[in-house]
Amino acid sequence: RHPSFGYTYLGYNLQRPLFADRRVRQAINAAVNKQEIIEGVLMGLGRVSTGPFPPESWAYDPQITPEPYDPVKARVLLAEAGWRDTDGDGWLDRDGRPFTFTVLTNQGNESRQHTAEIIQRRLKEVGVRMEIRIVEWSAFLSQFIDPRQFDAVLLGWGLSRDPDLYDIFHSSKTKPGEFNFVGYQNEEVDRLLIEGRRIFDQAQRTAIYRRIHQLIYDDQPYLFLYVPDALPIVHARFRNVQSTPVGIGYNLIDWFVPTNEQRYRHWRLEP
């Protein structure tokens, strides 16, 4: 068991008016109990995510604490954004329209489906109606992600060890097939992402990426959910398998099985 180098998130289509107000996105963050998801879906095998870097990254800012579960605060923020239950039906509305949206996730991933169900229940408690739609992966990309035909998506990122997030969060990377499919735009983040690519000193880069971490968590283009633990399985016959923050495969060449425990032999045919 070791921490994975990625996270699961609910990403908003920021071109949809429903999610244009940052207070709405912050309200959803307060309305969802992330630890509940970790306990119920991951069996406790994960940690709450606070942004675009996992805790093992040197770019991660440990001073950023996750927003606590607070449905009262969520309702206050939604009210400030104009969402109130004006007709007493239990659902928030504004200008005669209810707060309702659909989240898409990919078929075959039960963890994401169960995560969506918990989010759905928590949002219902603050008056937000969320529908869930499960879509086959190739259709998910071609019919919804690339043409930007979605309200929100439940997905995950597996990250490289270098913290360059240009392709995911820079405002220029929103074309079909590119990774900023939620349409996130922040001028300071854009500038810092470019600076981070041009500087080699790690201390300077750390300061840049930690500022990016704070800005993105404040903006909430994603509802950052959890960093799951990685749980690779290797037979106990193998020796010298060591778990580290970079996983177990880094020293694969040093693994071995003692001769008296070996079960398989490689045979070579001679001409």
Side-chain angles (χ1 to χ4, degrees), residues 169 184 186-194 212 215-216:
F169 288 110
Y184 178 61
N186 181 304
E187 291 184 2
E188 186 176 358
V189 171
D190 280 356
R191 177 180 60 79
L192 291 170
L193 287 171
I194 293 172
I212 290 172
L215 288 167
I216 290 177

Side-chain angles (χ1 to χ4, degrees), residues 60-202:
Y60 176 86
D61 188 348
Q63 301 303 313
I64 299 174
T65 57
E67 176 72 29
Y69 169 59
D70 190 344
V72 174
K73 179 178 180 179
R75 283 188 173 274
V76 169
L77 286 167
L78 288 165
E80 289 176 358
W83 293 99
R84 296 178 175 83
D85 181 10
T86 61
D87 55 10
D89 66 352
W91 300 105
L92 301 181
D93 58 85
R94 187 178 67 185
D95 300 328
R97 301 185 63 180
F99 194 138
T100 180
F101 70 98
T102 298
V103 62
L104 305 177
T105 195
N106 57 295
Q107 188 179 65
N109 192 315
E110 290 190 6
S111 293
R112 291 178 186 170
Q113 181 176 340
H114 295 325
T115 295
E117 290 165 356
I118 293 174
I119 294 172
Q120 181 185 53
R121 178 167 62 88
R122 288 303 183 188
L123 292 185
K124 180 180 179 181
E125 292 174 355
V126 298
V128 174
R129 187 196 303 272
M130 187 187 96
E131 305 294 339
I132 301 169
R133 183 175 179 185
I134 311 298
V135 182
E136 186 274 329
W137 182 248
S138 61
F140 185 88
L141 296 177
S142 63
Q143 298 179 27
F144 299 98
I145 295 295
D146 286 347
R148 310 299 191 252
Q149 294 301 313
F150 64 89
D151 296 326
V153 291
L154 184 59
L155 290 171
W157 285 119
L159 305 172
S160 69
R161 300 293 159 171
D162 188 272
D164 180 10
L165 300 175
Y166 183 90
D167 285 335
I168 300 176
F169 288 110
H170 195 275
S171 63
S172 68
K173 306 301 288 185
T174 58
K175 302 179 185 67
E178 295 184 322
F179 293 144
N180 185 4
F181 43 79
V182 299
Y184 178 61
Q185 298 182 46
N186 181 304
E187 291 184 2
E188 186 176 358
V189 171
D190 280 356
R191 177 180 60 79
L192 291 170
L193 287 171
I194 293 172
E195 281 187 25
R197 287 185 149 191
R198 294 174 174 172
I199 294 173
F200 292 95
D201 181 80
Q202 185 165 316

